[in-house]
Amino acid sequence: MNPITFNKPYMTGKETEYIRQSVESKKISGDGMFTKKSHQFFEEKYGFKKCLLTTSCTDALEMAALLIDLKEGDEVIMPSYTFVSTSNAFVLRGAKIVFADSEKDTPNIDADKIEELITEKTKAIVVVHYAGMACDMDKIMSIANKHNLFVIEDAAQAVDSFYNTKPLGSIGHLAAFSFHETKNIISGEGGMLVINDDRFIKRAEIIREKGTNRSAFFRGEIDKYGWVDIGSSFLPSDIIAAFLYAQLENLEDIQKRRTDIWNKYYEGLKELDKKGVVKIPQIPNYATNNAHMFYLVCKNIEERSALISKLKQNDIYAVFHYLSLHKSPFYGDKHDGRELPNCDKYANCLVRLPFYYELKEKEIQRVINTISEFYS
């Protein structure tokens, strides 16, 4: 019996060809021809105002923290159920993180719990579109506008997903995407900053280019470039962008296949949900599903551990996901002590099933059968 891995990077076929073209162009550092093609793809397809590829989603979030001029002691509200990068990017600027609980029915931030956390020191709200499913963005933007706060979308998992008709990543002032090998569209490592607010565009280019106005120089807008702001080296090699562009050309095919897999899991496991044995994903009526992952929510941590163990005995590799950041060794003693029960529920009970383009029908059925057997 062949093992069913948790993830397997999918190659569309043109990745190495485009990498060869990039190398032959003699411009393999940042902002080469495939970087420009990738920027253009996202700006045209989703109407993003300005896109800048970065070496990771973490880098894109760090750029966002720099752009909003976070100072020591500023407060940033975000979910506790997220990857450490979401928090780290702002902690590096000296911000105090104020963690919010998840919704009861989804791991996303509970928009109804945000306003009570706002103080005179609050600078931004960071939302995470977990599993590519939209947070309640109208509610969140309304709160942000009322209190004059920035909204940053951590859209790491949310490529090609929408809030009503708006692409995720186009709603907040800034957004960050990931092209890590576990995502729908990949480049191994890689990310992108999306800038939807004009006032940040010029400075974002400077921060990304080590604090220099080098991009403007290469466009012929100035006759020399120098150090004009803080910044770092956030540009990916054009070789990474070449790999990414081959993926982007196949976005529709990748998304169709992933949606088929998601639907098969859903159909195969919905009876267990109906019986109240296990919870499967609930998609809010304002959200679309980009089929980033399929997860189950077990009743408790013991049940989850036993399920993962049962799957592993059958050569099926499922994983749990985030641990509560408000209880982490690094930030636990900095948290204000509020209980975040829904966050803890997902940290203890959520399990992610194997999910990748080349997952075969019989393998999907094997996963479903093993889970059903466990609960019988």
Side-chain angles (χ1 to χ4, degrees):
M1 201 184 294
N2 289 331
I4 301 175
T5 59
F6 169 66
N7 180 61
K8 183 181 175 187
Y10 172 63
M11 313 295 170
T12 67
K14 285 200 170 174
E15 285 83 359
T16 51
E17 164 63 17
Y18 286 173
I19 287 168
R20 185 184 61 77
Q21 286 182 30
S22 178
V23 170
E24 288 176 354
S25 78
K26 304 290 193 289
K27 173 76 168 87
I28 59 172
S29 60
D31 284 338
M33 66 175 175
F34 285 103
T35 305
K36 292 183 172 74
K37 281 174 183 280
S38 297
H39 289 166
Q40 186 179 8
F41 177 92
F42 280 107
E43 287 166 10
E44 289 180 358
K45 184 169 179 64
Y46 299 112
F48 298 147
K49 197 162 274 187
K50 177 75 173 175
C51 293
L52 294 171
L53 291 190
T54 57
T55 46
S56 65
C57 183
T58 305
D59 271 356
L61 288 165
E62 287 180 18
M63 284 183 68
L66 287 165
L67 284 166
I68 65 169
D69 269 331
L70 268 188
K71 301 284 191 293
E72 190 89 31
D74 285 344
E75 293 177 3
V76 177
I77 297 168
M78 67 177 65
S80 177
Y81 190 71
T82 184
F83 189 52
V84 64
S85 291
T86 313
S87 189
N88 244 341
F90 302 93
V91 170
L92 280 168
R93 309 310 314 158
K96 178 189 174 188
I97 308 302
V98 180
F99 289 117
D101 204 4
S102 298
E103 295 178 314
K104 184 172 176 287
D105 293 327
T106 83
N108 282 344
I109 192 168
D110 187 340
D112 292 329
K113 299 278 171 64
I114 292 174
E115 195 158 23
E116 67 198 42
L117 301 176
I118 295 170
T119 73
E120 70 277 0
K121 291 183 178 176
T122 308
K123 187 92 177 244
I125 302 165
V126 181
V127 300
V128 180
H129 302 299
Y130 186 81
M133 286 187 272
C135 297
D136 192 344
M137 292 307 293
D138 279 347
K139 197 174 279 185
I140 290 162
M141 294 308 295
S142 172
I143 292 166
N145 292 334
K146 178 179 168 185
H147 295 276
N148 199 26
L149 304 174
F150 295 114
V151 172
I152 296 160
E153 294 178 75
D154 182 337
Q157 302 170 357
V159 72
D160 198 48
S161 208
F162 295 78
Y163 172 78
N164 294 322
T165 57
K166 294 175 186 169
L168 297 186
S170 72
I171 305 165
H173 300 86
L174 299 158
F177 285 86
S178 172
F179 307 119
H180 184 267
E181 70 164 40
T182 55
K183 302 303 188 287
N184 297 34
I185 299 296
I186 64 172
S187 59
E189 296 279 356
M192 181 172 71
L193 178 71
V194 174
I195 302 125
N196 299 310
D197 188 318
D198 287 325
R199 72 188 127 158
F200 294 128
I201 292 174
K202 188 176 175 186
R203 189 165 182 238
E205 285 190 330
I206 289 168
I207 285 170
R208 182 168 168 264
E209 277 278 21
K210 304 96 178 161
T212 73
N213 48 1
R214 190 167 179 257
S215 294
F217 170 74
F218 280 120
R219 286 196 298 267
E221 294 165 10
I222 50 177
D223 57 4
K224 59 178 183 288
Y225 75 86
W227 185 14
V228 294
D229 201 343
I230 58 172
S232 191
S233 186
F234 291 118
L235 294 78
S237 155
D238 204 60
I239 291 170
I240 291 170
F243 191 111
L244 177 67
Y245 191 68
Q247 297 265 314
L248 293 175
E249 285 187 322
N250 287 273
L251 174 71
E252 285 183 23
D253 172 61
I254 290 168
Q255 290 300 88
K256 182 181 182 304
R257 177 65 193 135
R258 293 184 72 98
T259 301
D260 287 347
I261 293 167
W262 198 96
N263 288 336
K264 283 188 172 65
Y265 272 139
Y266 186 89
E267 288 303 314
L269 294 165
K270 68 181 182 184
E271 280 307 311
L272 290 178
D273 183 280
K274 273 185 193 166
K275 290 175 185 169
V277 172
V278 75
K279 284 281 179 201
I280 60 176
Q282 309 291 309
I283 300 168
N285 58 10
Y286 50 70
T288 64
N289 174 26
N290 74 339
H292 172 60
M293 71 166 88
F294 197 94
Y295 64 83
L296 304 174
V297 182
C298 302
K299 285 198 166 60
N300 51 55
I301 194 167
E302 292 79 18
E303 182 183 293
R304 181 182 71 181
S305 299
L307 175 60
I308 291 173
S309 179
K310 165 80 171 174
L311 291 164
K312 193 175 179 183
Q313 285 161 19
N314 287 271
D315 268 343
I316 299 165
Y317 294 88
V319 299
F320 57 82
H321 212 186
Y322 309 131
L323 302 175
S324 302
L325 291 184
H326 73 286
K327 290 184 171 177
S328 62
F330 176 67
Y331 220 79
D333 62 350
K334 301 173 185 68
H335 177 60
D336 55 29
R338 281 174 299 113
E339 292 290 318
L340 305 177
N342 292 328
C343 164
D344 290 340
K345 175 186 74 176
Y346 292 114
N348 291 332
C349 304
L350 186 143
V351 57
R352 294 178 64 184
L353 302 183
F355 206 114
Y356 48 90
Y357 184 100
E358 291 165 308
L359 197 59
K360 298 181 180 74
E361 311 297 319
K362 63 182 181 184
E363 292 174 325
I364 299 166
Q365 198 56 53
R366 195 171 120 207
V367 176
I368 291 166
N369 291 346
T370 307
I371 292 167
S372 300
E373 191 183 299
F374 174 80
Y375 282 108
S376 67

